[in-house]
Amino acid sequence: EVQLQASGGGLVQAGGSLRLSCAASGDTFDDYAIVWFRQAPGKERKGIIGIIGRDGSEYYTDSAKGRFTISINDAKNTVWLQVNGLKPEDTAVYYCAAETTIRRDPEITIGTMFRAPHAIGLWGQGTLVTVSS
């Protein structure tokens, strides 16, 4: 089973950019769907953007379109979240999460991850992004 390690957060001025990483250990992301979530102070955790490890298909929420990009490396062991034009409201702890796509429809799997994050079993530890105005 894969383990996840999120990194790359920090303090950034508004308008800046960050690239967050979600590294896999114990397995690759080839048989997983991966979703980036974020949780702002006092708010619930929400999915932003996802990717299917096997074929790189990307899934964006409306809030992610335009400033967020997800990608995966050729080795299928790192997923990146690129965020441009950071705003103070992007301040949150960012988490990556994964679900296996073995014997599952990948599109249904990733859709379920967005709708029911409480049911996801594999989470990275979170990385804090703070955007100053």
Side-chain angles (χ1 to χ4, degrees):
E1 186 175 78
V2 72
Q3 289 84 49
L4 312 178
Q5 179 79 29
S7 62
L11 176 63
V12 186
Q13 286 192 327
S17 298
L18 272 181
R19 190 172 79 160
L20 306 181
S21 298
C22 180
S25 60
D27 200 350
T28 70
F29 286 133
D30 197 46
D31 291 321
Y32 288 87
I34 304 95
V35 175
W36 280 98
F37 291 80
R38 66 181 180 182
Q39 187 166 18
K43 296 189 177 180
E44 63 180 13
R45 194 173 299 187
K46 289 188 176 181
I48 310 166
I49 196 169
I51 193 167
I52 303 298
R54 175 64 59 92
D55 64 9
S57 298
E58 300 166 16
Y59 296 82
Y60 290 73
T61 60
D62 288 342
S63 61
K65 292 176 183 176
R67 297 190 298 119
F68 293 76
T69 305
I70 193 169
S71 58
I72 188 168
N73 66 346
D74 290 343
K76 305 286 183 75
N77 58 15
T78 304
V79 169
W80 292 292
L81 173 63
Q82 177 73 35
V83 189
N84 299 321
L86 280 158
K87 305 175 182 180
E89 51 264 43
D90 293 320
T91 294
V93 178
Y94 286 71
Y95 299 89
C96 57
E99 283 284 310
T100 183
T101 55
I102 295 176
R103 292 185 293 277
R104 297 177 178 179
D105 182 284
E107 191 165 346
I108 293 175
T109 300
I110 205 165
T112 302
M113 293 175 72
F114 279 107
R115 289 191 303 274
H118 59 277
I120 299 172
L122 297 171
W123 290 90
Q125 82 287 5
T127 185
L128 176 62
V129 173
T130 304
V131 184
S132 62
S133 57

